[in-house]
Structure formats: C-alpha cells, structure tokens
Amino acid sequence: RMEDEDGGGWLVAGGGKRSWKRRKGKTGSGRPGNAHKRTKKTSGVEQIVWDPTVLDEEVDERTAAALNARTREAQKVLRESAFHDQLCSSALGRGEAGEGPSLLSGLGSVEEMVVYGLGSLEHGPPACKYQFALAVVLAEDLLRSDKLDRVLFFDPAFTAYDRRVIEGANPKFCVMRENENCARTAFRKTLFYMPHCEAVLYNALLGANWDSDRLPNLVILGNSFASYKTIWGRPSGSDFGVEYPKLFSAARCSREVPVPTSFNLTEASAFNDMSFHFFPREAVADALDEMT
C-alpha cells in the first residue's frame, strides 16, 4: 500500500512500481541536531513520515539563499529552452499558433493550482528544480487571467528550506501542512501538477472527484494516462484495471494533450512522457455510466 495503516506515511523511493517517487532524494535535513525522524519501517518497507513541524525549523540564511539561487538558475535554463518555447506556442496559446491543440480554453478558467510530488528542492536531484521551474512558469501564465487564487504545494519530503524557497517565489505560493495523500476534492476548476507521481496517487485524486460534477473540474498535468493504459492495460494478465480502476477509466474518458518533446535540458527526464489531461462532461458521463 502507498500509505501506512494510519495514512500518515509515504513510501521512500526504491520500493518498486508502487513507491511514492522513484527519483526521491534524501529525506530529512541531514544536518546535526535535527530532531525529526523522517522515515520509518512498516512490514519491512521504508516510509516517509510526514511531520508538519519540520517546515518550521530554523534555516541558515546563506544556505537558503544558495538554494534559491539554484532554483532561479533552473528557471532561467527552462525559460531559454526549446521545450519552453514549444510549450508556450502550442500548448499555452502564446506566440505563433502551432499545429498542436491549444490548452488556453481549458486552462483559462483554472482558479486553483495544486502541486504534488516535486520531491525536495534541497536534497532531491536536479530534475526537482526543473519541475519546480515549470510550476513557476505555469502559475505566471495562469495568473494573467486574474482567476487563479492560489498555488498549493505538498511533498512529504519537503524541508524548511524547501518551504522558504517555494513560498518566496510568489506571494500566491503556499506549502500545505496537511498530508491529503492526493485525495483532494476539487470544488472549482483546479490544475493538479503531479510530475512523475505513482499510479496510486493519480487514482486517489480521481477517486476523490469521481462524479459528474467534480471530475470536469480537474486538469491533471502528470504521467500520460494513455501510456499507463498501453503498458498495463494489455490483455496479458495485467491487473491494472482492477488495481487502479479510476485511473484505468480516466485513460478512456480524458482528453490528453502531451507536453512538448523538444528536450534540450540537462535533465530531460524531468518532463518525459507527461501530458495535460482534461475531462469533458459528456465523456465523463459516459465513463460513469459504464462503471455503474
């Protein structure tokens, strides 16, 4: 299972297909005197234990400034990349019109953005910083519509330094203190940015919104649902449809728009095989009818 028995833990990377993040870096501050044990073992499986007080730990200003500089450098690299240019022109509807479908009509009504699964900017690999850079770029674009109210972030590996950098990047950014296990109900149009999260987390989000009123409120930027269906949905004995029923159905009823594949970043793996997923009301109604 993804959570422990009381729902308070997340698996540490390396636990296979079901792990919370395959690319997760070290957990905890790693500095002497840290009183928070960030992992525990349950049935022999190491899990990240979420303790919100870790966000309030004292930070060294020079260390925080250095981390902030590294994240800003990643944003600069992203903005100067072909990936960013293609995303802006073909996906976000800016620049010259591209051949790909525009997401402007779907994203223009977004009122909230939730970012799950970045990993720790402080301790994670460089891909985490590029994924955060994309969150900054997306938020800036959505804020132009004056509809976006806030951008929420959560990862059980976050540290006080991560919070300092994230909340310092934009006054609309806020690190959540509650571990929702991704089962957040969307009462308004919400963009969920979940870079390379595990299938169980997408399934939890979909399950929390699985009705004709809430599912169309979701826009999910994350792993390609079509790829899940292709890889795990073959009639070869795979139990993907049984194990993740909402995700399996969403792969059939969502409108999927892949992100650009023009990677000229050092960390190309930060965005590989990712797509935007929209849920048209008619397709959602049909999918719900099939499941009843």
Side-chain angles (χ1 to χ4, degrees), residues 1-291:
R1 291 183 59 196
M2 180 57 57
E3 307 88 7
D4 61 14
E5 291 182 0
D6 61 5
W10 300 70
L11 299 186
V12 176
K17 177 175 82 172
R18 288 169 168 259
S19 65
W20 152 239
K21 296 286 281 183
R22 290 196 180 102
R23 56 168 176 75
K24 187 70 67 184
K26 294 186 295 182
T27 58
S29 70
R31 289 177 291 278
N34 178 37
H36 298 278
K37 183 180 180 182
R38 301 298 302 278
T39 64
K40 70 175 183 180
K41 284 192 176 182
T42 302
S43 301
V45 178
E46 191 175 16
Q47 299 177 321
I48 300 174
V49 179
W50 174 238
D51 178 1
T53 62
V54 75
L55 299 175
D56 301 321
E57 289 181 349
E58 184 178 354
V59 300
D60 175 76
E61 295 299 330
R62 292 181 62 182
T63 303
L67 178 61
N68 187 54
R70 293 196 296 274
T71 60
R72 289 187 178 276
E73 177 62 23
Q75 292 171 39
K76 180 176 182 292
V77 171
L78 180 70
R79 293 178 195 279
E80 295 175 353
S81 68
F83 169 80
H84 175 262
D85 291 342
Q86 188 176 350
L87 180 71
C88 288
S89 63
S90 66
L92 296 177
R94 286 190 268 126
E96 298 181 1
E99 295 181 358
S102 173
L103 301 181
L104 196 60
S105 60
L107 293 180
S109 58
V110 166
E111 298 179 55
E112 186 172 78
M113 179 174 168
V114 179
V115 183
Y116 289 133
L118 281 179
S120 173
L121 300 174
E122 181 187 7
H123 295 306
C128 299
K129 298 175 182 63
Y130 286 108
Q131 290 169 349
F132 175 62
L134 181 57
V136 172
V137 169
L138 288 171
E140 288 176 352
D141 193 85
L142 294 174
L143 285 167
R144 292 188 177 94
S145 69
D146 293 325
K147 291 185 178 181
L148 184 66
D149 177 52
R150 59 183 179 175
V151 182
L152 303 175
F153 292 78
F154 182 80
D155 191 298
F158 279 164
T159 68
Y161 287 88
D162 295 325
R163 179 192 176 195
R164 171 68 69 86
V165 170
I166 291 170
E167 294 186 348
N170 192 298
K172 297 280 189 179
F173 288 7
C174 179
V175 173
M176 292 190 288
R177 305 183 77 86
E178 180 184 357
N179 179 3
E180 302 174 320
N181 291 306
C182 296
R184 183 181 183 86
T185 302
F187 294 103
R188 53 183 177 169
K189 197 76 168 184
T190 304
L191 170 61
F192 288 90
Y193 174 35
M194 303 172 64
H196 296 160
C197 288
E198 295 299 323
V200 68
L201 298 176
Y202 297 111
N203 196 70
L205 174 62
L206 292 164
N209 295 278
W210 200 256
D211 66 40
S212 58
D213 292 324
R214 294 194 298 268
L215 200 53
N217 286 337
L218 303 184
V219 180
I220 300 175
L221 173 56
N223 293 350
S224 166
F225 290 1
S227 291
Y228 276 132
K229 186 179 178 181
T230 299
I231 296 171
W232 290 349
R234 298 170 182 148
S236 58
S238 170
D239 59 355
F240 174 64
V242 175
E243 198 168 5
Y244 309 114
K246 301 297 189 298
L247 180 51
F248 186 76
S249 295
R252 293 181 292 170
C253 73
S254 61
R255 172 190 167 217
E256 181 167 331
V257 183
V259 300
T261 56
S262 298
F263 300 121
N264 63 334
L265 299 170
T266 304
E267 293 294 324
S269 62
F271 308 113
N272 66 297
D273 201 27
M274 287 177 57
S275 296
F276 287 90
H277 303 84
F278 299 88
F279 299 86
R281 290 192 178 276
E282 290 186 2
V284 166
D286 292 340
L288 293 176
D289 287 342
E290 290 180 8
M291 294 187 69

